[in-house]
Amino acid sequence: MTPSLFEIVEEARLSARALIDYGESFFNPTIRLGVTGLSRSGKTVFITALVHGLVRGGRFPVFEALASGRIAHAHLSPQPDDGVPRFAYESHLRALVEERRWPNSTVDISELRLVIDYQRPNGADRTLTLDIVDYPGEWLLDLPLLGKSYEQWARESLSLSREGPRADLASAWHAQLATLSAEGPADEQATLEAARLFTDYLRACRDERFAMSLLPPGRFLMPGSLAGSPALTFAPLDVPAERTAPDGSLWAMMVRRYEAYKDIVVRPFFRDHFARLDRQIVLVDALAAFNAGPAALHDLEAALSGILDCFRVGRSTILSSLFRPRIDRILFAATKADHLHHLSHDRLEAVLRRAVNQAATRAMSTGAAIDVVALAAVRATREALVARGRDKLPSLLGTPAAGESAGGEIFDGNTEVATFPGDLPLDADALFNGADAFHGLSSTSAEQTDFRFLRFRPPPLEAPADGAPSLPHIRLDRALQFLIGDRLQ
Ligand code: GDP
């Protein structure tokens, strides 16, 4: 296919940017690390804990450069991109450590630059600059739209909305859709209503009871300054195959707005941010999907394969791939592992690995090294053996945040409770086919109480006798070792 003038200009801009980045990185070794994941997957907490650990010297035994004392100093420095909001590290840290509450979540892209002075194993002093780019996973899942026409997208979205638990959630939207004629005249009011009902359906799918992952277009759920604009006011129509939209029709109006969404939202994100990343961590709230059941897990798998496809096209232009290699490491991380007993951490990793492998066989090769980890950027629970009857059962102790409720009880934010962590099955397949459903956290007092979605308060800093006070975590150091360890050699 011959590229359009628009695509040629885009390619030139992308390549120019790659050249500038290459020049900067040549004199000043830099890693641009993308941190993404769907809303509430744990991006803000992850970045805050990671930066805190690097700047203040956290307990990271598996992160070799820090554990062996080769990192002399890590400090924040002004970020390179003037048009991108700065990641609000200081206020997030204040919330986490001083107020012991979870910081406000990611709703937009943000950036933070960390400069790491270290010693190579041969003793030479070096500096590595780490640019952390935090962006919503919803934006990433929009990238496949670039290769799809309105008609393809509408057909796929409609058929997905007729499957499993989605069908019920889509009923109000489907009812309105049945009254619309795609080839009838364009109608602003009907379009507004269709977009509203379609967005309600997407929002309902995202609810923690269903925990669906694949919900493009991403900005419908996080519109920011584009709320109410025509580029966000469209919806799938039941369009006839092998016909084109008649001029002035409702269908033609939807097509124009869908294309506007790609031009205004998706392409700039791809060009200005995504195509410039070197490494990527994708955070996944797998426990939320387990809690919601097999349909959510299959949806998650489809989202992961969409994500892997995005990385394949990440650096597709000739010039840009000459100057910088495409993303060469991708880490998929199951977050909030502190909701499980440590015996289940490897099982959590196995489930995510299975989902990623399935996704990888469906997606084309990304050419990147891929790894999987189960982690808790901030560990909010402790493990203990709690007596029940004559037995002593492994439990998790944590302080539910003020206002959290379970089993009719409303917590005050100061009372610690003991919960039984749900056991993950030995065989990951059981979770996917629903044979052995996951039950999440339950209460130690009344077995029926559903503690699955309980939010624990962040813990106080740990102050070991031999080191700086640090935030407790699970396997955050392993993630760091994979993401940047090789560049500190
Ligand atoms: P974002 O939307 O991806 O930025 O998600 P956040 O980082 O704001 O995390 C969303 C919520 O997940 C937080 O408010 C916490 O309740 C919870 N959370 C995130 N990370 C952890 C973790 O490491 N441990 C625990 N227990 N909860 C976490």
Side-chain angles (χ1 to χ4, degrees):
M1 217 168 46
T2 355
S4 65
L5 181 63
F6 185 82
E7 282 164 337
I8 294 171
V9 172
E10 282 287 290
E11 172 116 351
R13 288 168 81 171
L14 192 56
S15 303
R17 185 69 246 189
L19 188 58
I20 296 169
D21 283 347
Y22 175 76
E24 281 169 6
S25 189
F26 188 78
F27 295 107
N28 176 17
T30 303
I31 298 183
R32 276 182 86 80
L33 170 66
V35 178
T36 197
L38 295 177
S39 178
R40 308 206 63 76
S41 57
K43 300 178 289 295
T44 310
V45 173
F46 174 83
I47 297 174
T48 309
L50 178 147
V51 173
H52 184 257
L54 284 174
V55 171
R56 306 275 177 90
R59 286 165 67 82
F60 289 163
V62 178
F63 181 44
E64 185 274 330
L66 190 66
S68 64
R70 290 195 295 107
I71 293 187
H73 187 56
H75 64 275
L76 295 174
S77 171
Q79 69 195 54
D81 298 293
D82 295 331
V84 178
R86 180 175 182 277
F87 180 83
Y89 168 68
E90 293 77 6
S91 65
H92 292 329
L93 186 68
R94 212 173 309 121
L96 207 52
V97 170
E98 285 172 28
E99 299 164 31
R100 284 190 57 207
R101 64 172 178 82
W102 299 105
N104 295 334
S105 298
T106 301
V107 287
D108 200 345
I109 191 160
S110 67
E111 188 176 71
L112 194 67
R113 171 166 278 194
L114 194 66
V115 175
I116 306 170
D117 296 322
Y118 69 100
Q119 208 171 47
R120 297 191 62 190
N122 67 10
D125 289 329
R126 290 282 186 275
T127 297
L128 177 71
T129 301
L130 181 64
D131 286 333
I132 301 173
V133 182
D134 171 24
Y135 67 92
E138 287 79 357
W139 298 14
L140 185 58
L141 286 171
D142 270 352
L143 289 182
L145 300 183
L146 287 177
K148 278 179 202 163
S149 66
Y150 170 76
E151 288 74 15
Q152 274 173 298
W153 169 75
R155 250 175 244 122
E156 283 177 20
S157 302
L158 260 177
S159 80
L160 193 63
S161 73
R162 292 183 175 127
E163 284 173 18
R166 286 177 180 249
D168 269 352
L169 305 174
S171 59
W173 164 47
H174 285 169
Q176 194 248 2
L177 180 65
T179 68
L180 300 178
S181 156
E183 293 173 286
D187 178 343
E188 180 75 56
Q189 290 310 312
T191 308
L192 279 168
E193 183 66 357
R196 188 182 66 76
L197 292 168
F198 176 59
T199 309
D200 286 350
Y201 148 75
L202 294 178
R203 196 172 297 116
C205 291
R206 188 178 64 179
D207 182 279
E208 62 190 2
R209 282 169 302 145
F210 305 103
M212 296 286 162
S213 306
L214 202 54
L215 302 164
R219 295 299 161 95
F220 278 43
L221 294 180
M222 29 174 58
S225 61
L226 286 174
S229 65
L232 261 59
T233 311
F234 63 92
L237 287 175
D238 218 344
V239 288
E242 288 158 21
R243 289 233 286 277
T244 48
D247 284 349
S249 63
L250 185 63
W251 181 0
M253 182 162 150
M254 296 286 189
V255 171
R256 202 185 61 239
R257 292 179 175 192
Y258 172 81
E259 292 301 328
Y261 182 84
K262 292 205 284 188
D263 288 347
I264 296 171
V265 173
V266 191
R267 281 200 182 88
F269 164 67
F270 177 79
R271 180 190 67 222
D272 299 337
H273 305 296
F274 184 73
R276 296 170 57 206
L277 298 174
D278 302 305
R279 304 239 158 130
Q280 176 70 56
I281 177 163
V282 180
L283 303 178
V284 180
D285 190 348
L287 290 177
F290 300 163
N291 278 328
L297 265 178
H298 288 292
D299 200 76
L300 173 65
E301 210 173 81
L304 290 175
S305 107
I307 287 174
L308 282 170
D309 269 337
C310 297
F311 291 116
R312 183 177 51 82
V313 295
R315 289 265 168 75
S316 56
T317 66
I318 300 170
L319 270 180
S320 59
S321 59
L322 264 184
F323 289 117
R324 289 179 96 176
R326 63 182 65 219
I327 290 177
D328 61 350
R329 285 186 180 213
I330 307 170
L331 181 63
F332 288 91
T335 54
K336 311 179 196 179
D338 55 333
H339 284 234
L340 292 175
H341 194 262
H342 74 267
L343 294 174
S344 282
H345 294 163
D346 286 342
R347 293 185 192 176
L348 177 59
E349 253 170 48
V351 179
L352 187 62
R353 180 161 284 119
R354 179 199 185 279
V356 168
N357 283 345
Q358 297 274 93
T361 48
R362 267 192 274 160
M364 311 265 271
S365 164
T366 57
I370 296 177
D371 202 2
V372 167
V373 65
L375 59 77
V378 173
R379 174 181 200 145
T381 61
R382 294 180 290 124
E383 291 185 3
L385 286 173
V386 167
R388 195 162 66 170
R390 260 181 278 151
D391 296 329
K392 284 204 166 229
L393 298 179
S395 316
L396 293 177
L397 304 180
T399 309
E404 289 284 293
S405 62
E409 189 178 353
I410 298 178
F411 297 101
D412 62 3
N414 296 310
T415 316
E416 198 170 57
V417 298
T419 57
F420 289 126
D423 244 352
L424 287 177
L426 255 181
D427 173 15
D429 285 338
L431 277 173
F432 285 82
N433 59 30
D436 190 356
F438 175 67
H439 298 293
L441 297 170
S442 63
S443 155
T444 50
S445 47
E447 188 85 49
Q448 291 77 9
T449 307
D450 189 353
F451 276 7
R452 280 182 297 171
F453 306 116
L454 207 54
R455 295 215 299 166
F456 296 112
R457 278 184 79 182
L461 288 179
E462 276 181 347
D466 57 342
S470 59
L471 282 163
H473 66 88
I474 296 168
R475 299 184 182 176
L476 183 57
D477 47 349
R478 230 188 79 191
L480 261 174
Q481 180 63 24
F482 177 78
L483 290 169
I484 63 170
D486 61 316
R487 295 290 298 273
L488 293 165
Q489 288 304 312

